Amino acid sequence: MDGFLRYGAITVAAILLTGCGGGSSGGGSVLDDGSQGVPQDATGTVSISLTDVPSEETSELVLHITHIDLGHEEGHTERIEKARGSESVDLMGLKNGKAAVLVDRESMPAGRYDWLELGIDLEQSHLGLQNGAMHGMRMGDSANTRIDLPLDIGAGNHVEYVLDIDARQSIVHHRGHGMMADEYDFHPNMRLVEISQTGSITGTVHMSMIDVYQEECDSTDGGNWAYLYPGNVAEPDDFSESESDGLSGPIAMDRVELEPESGDYHYHFSYLPEGTYRVAFSCAAEWDESGDDDYPVDPDGRFLFHSFSGPLEVKVGEKTEHHMVP
């Protein structure tokens, strides 16, 4: 166990936007109608980890996590809370499949859970920028605080889930004017997946496509990003708080970084449910701003995509490779 306590309660917390889950179920008792039920005292165990997609402007994104609530299908809430009160996690240290364990084999009543909430104390959380500045955060006005999902904990069984937060899509910057300071809203873009039911996509981007070698891209840091979409998406789109152009925004994004040992520029998408996906690349992603629809017509005239793959198949437990070339 990792020092979490569990008891029934309901709270409002941070955002989870998309999710999927599942798990094996154990045996149960036979109900009056002949269907298979779960004994009231039956339990299983669950582990929940946290991982992250980085942001080009962010050096730290420290979240003060207080608890996790799970809503049982029978109507009661099971809370998992830190015995020491809370835990701070720097999301910028979690990327390329690295994860921090929030819940380690916690015993829970068996059954199906319909929703999950992550409790975050933003008063004790902070955002650190690459320029050294530190900022507090506030919950965005449009924050959706709960994810509805089927999460099964089988009697006598153990399931492992991961919460994947896209930091770049989760922070909305409101620039201050005059005496007004800059402000940052937290709109957590998260997905929840069962680890045993996932694979990954990884690959390289040809050096000639990187911003320092592209005249149409700014050579300052922050432009090279890979974008992930469902396999049935016909055209890539930017990420935006609200989509007004009818195109589908990315499921996730990953910064394309130089690997010094090999000299290659790499990207990586972890914990993907089995299915088909497409990957796009832009070396002008610093102009992809959350407050605007930047594609196909960028208000600033700077954002565009430079590559878009065909459908890529992801299988459970396997790594799919795709290398982007001109």
Side-chain angles (χ1 to χ4, degrees):
M1 306 291 285
D2 70 341
F4 272 78
L5 300 176
R6 179 179 53 78
Y7 48 88
I10 297 179
T11 70
V12 174
I15 301 176
L16 302 176
L17 291 183
T18 58
C20 61
S24 53
S25 58
S29 59
V30 178
L31 303 180
D32 292 340
D33 61 3
S35 62
Q36 192 76 7
V38 177
Q40 290 187 349
D41 59 350
T43 62
T45 56
V46 62
S47 294
I48 301 175
S49 298
L50 185 66
T51 191
D52 170 55
V53 173
S55 169
E56 78 277 13
E57 295 182 352
T58 304
S59 61
E60 296 180 22
L61 179 54
V62 177
L63 299 182
H64 200 69
I65 299 170
T66 58
H67 62 269
I68 294 174
D69 281 345
L70 295 174
H72 198 280
E73 65 177 354
E74 294 181 355
H76 60 272
T77 299
E78 299 292 334
R79 172 171 289 190
I80 307 171
E81 185 168 9
K82 271 289 189 183
R84 295 185 299 275
S86 56
E87 175 185 14
S88 291
V89 179
D90 183 3
L91 298 185
M92 292 299 100
L94 308 174
K95 61 180 181 178
N96 295 334
K98 185 178 180 181
V101 177
L102 298 180
V103 178
D104 187 13
R105 304 189 73 87
E106 181 75 15
S107 179
M108 299 285 290
R112 167 158 291 198
Y113 291 81
D114 294 330
W115 54 264
L116 181 150
E117 286 183 347
L118 179 65
I120 299 176
D121 183 354
L122 286 184
E123 292 292 327
Q124 299 188 66
S125 303
H126 71 267
L127 171 70
L129 303 182
Q130 294 289 352
N131 62 12
M134 293 290 175
H135 295 271
M137 296 175 289
R138 63 186 184 186
M139 188 66 72
D141 293 337
S142 61
N144 179 8
T145 60
R146 179 178 297 183
I147 181 173
D148 294 322
L149 74 166
L151 188 155
D152 292 320
I153 299 178
N157 292 334
H158 176 67
V159 289
E160 297 182 352
Y161 289 85
V162 63
L163 287 171
D164 190 355
I165 300 180
D166 190 325
R168 189 169 192 259
Q169 298 189 69
S170 297
I171 303 297
V172 178
H173 181 196
H174 300 281
R175 299 186 185 278
H177 300 283
M179 299 296 293
M180 301 297 292
D182 288 2
E183 295 182 335
Y184 293 84
D185 284 354
F186 188 51
H187 290 263
N189 185 310
M190 299 187 183
R191 61 191 182 94
L192 179 72
V193 293
E194 185 182 352
I195 295 176
S196 67
Q197 300 301 312
T198 65
S200 63
I201 296 176
T202 188
T204 61
V205 176
H206 194 273
M207 183 180 297
S208 65
M209 300 171 66
I210 300 300
D211 54 10
V212 295
Y213 304 104
Q214 284 283 339
E215 292 184 359
E216 59 190 356
C217 289
D218 193 328
S219 61
T220 58
D221 289 342
N224 303 302
W225 284 77
Y227 290 63
L228 181 70
Y229 303 87
N232 61 355
V233 169
E235 182 179 1
D237 193 23
D238 64 317
F239 82 91
S240 179
E241 293 177 68
S242 60
E243 297 293 348
S244 60
D245 54 17
L247 299 176
S248 298
I251 300 171
M253 301 166 62
D254 187 49
R255 187 172 185 175
V256 176
E257 297 182 304
L258 175 65
E259 184 181 83
E261 294 181 358
S262 66
D264 294 328
Y265 288 86
H266 281 266
Y267 71 92
H268 187 90
F269 293 107
S270 303
Y271 307 115
L272 301 179
E274 189 170 76
T276 59
Y277 299 85
R278 299 182 73 175
V279 177
F281 170 74
S282 175
C283 65
E286 70 267 50
W287 295 100
D288 186 5
E289 300 167 305
S290 63
D292 298 322
D293 271 327
D294 297 307
Y295 185 85
V297 179
D298 181 8
D300 299 308
R302 306 292 294 273
F303 178 70
L304 70 164
F305 289 104
H306 300 82
S307 177
F308 190 40
S309 76
L312 305 171
E313 185 175 4
V314 170
K315 296 183 178 180
V316 169
E318 297 184 10
K319 179 188 297 182
T320 299
E321 292 191 3
H322 175 69
H323 304 290
M324 290 183 267
V325 297

